[in-house]
Each structure stands twice: as C-alpha cells, then as structure tokens.
Amino acid sequence: MLPAFIFCLFLLTLFASADQTKPDQPTRISKQTRMDLIRGFNSELVYIRSPFPMGKKGLILKDGKLSPSGQELQQMMAMWGPAAKPGDQARISAIIIKDDRIHFEINGGPVKKQKWYQRIQVGGGGGMTQIAPNDPNANPRGSYVDLVFNHYVPELTPQELKDLLHPVFDFNAKSAVEAYLDTLPPKVQNAIKGHEVLVGMNREMVVTSKGRAPKKIREKDGDTEYEDWIYGEPPHDVDFVRFVADEVVRVEIMKVSGEKVVRTEKEVNLEQPTVAQNPAQPEVRPANAPTLRRPGEEPDSRSPASAPDGRRAPRPAAPPDLGGAGPTGPSPN
C-alpha cells in the first residue's frame, strides 16, 4: 500500500512541475480593450508603407509577413489600380475586431456604404423622394488589411498594435516624404537625401529627389520611345535623366568644367508592375465568324474578311485609260 501511495504522490508532483514550466498563454482581449482600441484608432491619419490595391481583396498581415506580396501584389495593382501607395496619407475609416483578426479599412473601405440619412425618404403627392440621393458614379476607392493572430486576438496595448501594423502603417512619420523614404532601400534613401539620381529609379523617386523637371523632351530611337528630363541651366551643372517607360536608363551630367559624366549601368533593382501588353499582330478573323451580309449578297472584295484564309483581299484593278480627258458621251452643242 505504501509503494502505491508514494507512486501517486510522485505523479502529482510531476504534473505540478509540468504546469509550472508551461508558458503562460496570452489572455483574450477584453471588452474594455476593444472599446479603447476602436476609439483610439478610428479616424486616425496614417502614412502608407505598402501598396494597397483597389477591389474587394485587400491585404493580410500575419507574423510580420504581408500577403499578397511581390509579383502577385503588382499584378493586382496593375489590374485594379492603387487605393494607396507608399508615402500616401490615408485615414483608418473602420475597425472590426473578429475572432482571430482585426480588420482595418482605409479611405472608406472597398465596399460602398450608405449613411443613415441616405435611407430616409419623404413622401408626397408626387411619390417618395430621398432627402440625400446617392451618387451612382461614386465608386469605392478604399481598401483594407486584416491583422491575423493565432487562434484568437490577445490583450494588446495601443503601442503594441502600432508595432504590429508597422509593415503597412506609419503612425510616427511627420511628412509624406519621410514615410516614403522609409519604404525604400538604404542606397536609394541616401541618393534621394543627396538629391542624386540612380539608374534604375522610377519617376516618383526622381521627383522626390530632384523635384519636377523644368524641361522635358520626348523622342524616339527606332522602336523605343524615351523621355529626357533636364535639370539645371548653364553656367551651372546640367543633368539629363532619360526614362524608358517608368525606369531611368541613362543619367548624363554636364559639369561647368566641361566634364561629361554618363551612367547607363543599372545601379538599383526595383520590382516593376506587370502591365498588359497590346498584341503586336492584328487579330485574324476566323473563317466561321458570323457575317452581317444579307442572304444572297456577294462578299465585299474590299473587306479583309472576304479572303478565305483571313488575309486582306487584293484591290480591284483600275479601269483602263481610254485616252479621253472628259466624259465619253456626246458633247453638247
């Protein structure tokens, strides 16, 4: 009997020590904390650190990682357009705390909403009329981000929540330029602070670094269209920044001393958005495509679709020259 009692006592001691070594789980968010966070963050102005696409699909932030990101995010930006870009100022328009996430909407969110007074109607002899009619052309231009936790939303302080949202929101930036610089690589940051241009920058970076160009020249080299931005005038240094699409491909500096500095090698690599390309070849009309000709009507030889293989039909031959300058009929007396 005594050995069994000692064995049970040993098991109880073992379980108690295991409970003591088990890490404490964070407590669930309380009702008061919910109210404090919603009251403190609603209508807050923030600077954007990550691109937000328009449309009903927003961003998801979990464990410090953002999704979608990279190429997928660039495709969404190219398809639906940007709701906010890095450096833009946005307003948190709604906060919804769910089971395992906190839902933040910016600039009205992705879905058009109605105010309470827009549902009020006044009736009379002519029927019902809204006192504040809706604008059918007002499309939603906001977006959202979901801050996702494991299993449930824990107890949080406002500063802890700001730290978790740092990949997408900047609460401490004093200006849009400061917020935008914080999203760039260190090499680009130093170049912008020194008002320099690197090969590989985009237009927004050049404008942030040098300002808007006083002179712009658009030319074409073969099939490649480019644009030169010119900064400065003699007797000072003159900078020529060449763009192809949205990327700097050439930087030329004419110094006062007569020295010419040209840089064409790429100095910074940035992710470029994917845009849809127009087809280079015209679309070929299928042979069985529907036609608008009436039954029995002959095909038009001038139409490209009249050729059976989809190629343009040859032009009809010109009438023979009869040698007369005027009409062939009898001339009036």
Side-chain angles (χ1 to χ4, degrees):
M1 188 69 182
L2 185 60
F5 175 76
I6 295 175
F7 180 73
C8 293
L9 185 61
F10 173 75
L11 290 178
L12 291 175
T13 306
L14 183 63
F15 290 152
S17 61
D19 291 339
Q20 292 178 359
T21 57
K22 185 178 180 180
D24 295 335
Q25 295 292 335
T27 58
R28 290 179 178 269
I29 187 171
S30 63
K31 184 177 180 180
Q32 183 62 38
T33 304
R34 286 173 178 260
M35 296 174 59
D36 293 341
L37 293 180
I38 293 175
R39 188 183 301 113
F41 284 84
N42 197 19
S43 300
E44 180 81 6
L45 286 174
V46 296
Y47 285 102
I48 301 299
R49 291 177 47 84
S50 174
F52 278 79
M54 285 197 295
K56 294 185 178 180
K57 185 177 180 181
L59 304 179
I60 297 177
L61 180 61
K62 184 177 181 180
D63 297 331
K65 297 180 180 180
L66 199 63
S67 63
S69 61
Q71 190 71 13
E72 184 181 358
L73 180 58
Q74 297 295 343
Q75 289 178 353
M76 292 176 60
M77 297 284 289
M79 180 177 296
W80 303 109
K85 297 182 294 183
D88 291 349
Q89 194 176 41
R91 185 181 297 275
I92 299 177
S93 54
I95 302 175
I96 303 174
I97 301 178
K98 302 180 181 180
D99 294 336
D100 63 340
R101 65 191 61 201
I102 304 179
H103 180 82
F104 293 87
E105 292 186 357
I106 61 170
N107 297 339
V111 180
K112 183 180 177 181
K113 302 179 180 64
Q114 283 187 333
K115 301 292 185 180
W116 62 269
Y117 52 81
Q118 292 177 328
R119 299 185 178 92
I120 300 177
Q121 294 182 347
V122 178
M128 303 295 292
T129 304
Q130 287 184 334
I131 62 173
N134 297 326
D135 184 6
N137 298 323
N139 296 324
R141 297 186 177 275
S143 187
Y144 72 89
V145 59
D146 282 342
L147 180 61
V148 181
F149 299 88
N150 293 323
H151 307 300
Y152 58 87
V153 178
E155 189 76 12
L156 290 170
T157 64
Q159 186 57 45
E160 290 175 345
L161 185 56
K162 289 181 179 180
D163 295 340
L164 293 175
L165 292 171
H166 186 68
V168 290
F169 296 149
D170 193 338
F171 294 89
N172 301 320
K174 298 179 181 179
S175 64
V177 175
E178 181 181 348
Y180 177 65
L181 285 177
D182 197 24
T183 64
L184 302 177
K187 185 176 182 179
V188 180
Q189 292 184 22
N190 296 331
I192 291 178
K193 291 178 181 179
H195 303 287
E196 299 176 357
V197 178
L198 302 178
V199 178
M201 283 183 170
N202 56 30
R203 295 173 184 261
E204 187 175 3
M205 295 176 183
V206 175
V207 171
T208 306
S209 176
K210 304 282 289 184
R212 298 190 179 276
K215 296 181 181 179
K216 297 181 181 180
I217 300 176
R218 184 170 295 177
E219 297 288 347
K220 189 173 183 180
D221 184 9
D223 295 334
T224 304
E225 294 184 357
Y226 65 88
E227 188 175 65
D228 283 339
W229 289 10
I230 304 175
Y231 293 92
E233 293 182 355
H236 304 285
D237 293 349
V238 181
D239 297 347
F240 298 86
V241 181
R242 177 165 297 181
F243 288 93
V244 173
D246 192 43
E247 183 181 347
V248 177
V249 297
R250 187 175 188 269
V251 177
E252 179 180 340
I253 304 175
M254 295 295 297
K255 297 188 176 182
V256 180
S257 60
E259 181 184 1
K260 180 179 179 180
V261 179
V262 179
R263 303 197 313 270
T264 57
E265 186 176 354
K266 200 165 188 178
E267 299 170 301
V268 59
N269 292 317
L270 302 173
E271 293 182 353
Q272 298 294 334
T274 303
V275 295
Q277 300 291 336
N278 294 327
Q281 299 295 333
E283 183 179 359
V284 178
R285 182 182 177 90
N288 58 350
T291 178
L292 299 179
R293 295 194 302 270
R294 299 183 182 89
E297 185 178 1
E298 294 295 332
D300 187 3
S301 60
R302 295 171 297 177
S303 174
S306 60
D309 56 354
R311 294 177 296 179
R312 184 177 295 274
R315 292 181 177 272
D321 187 7
L322 301 179
T328 57
S331 58
N333 293 329

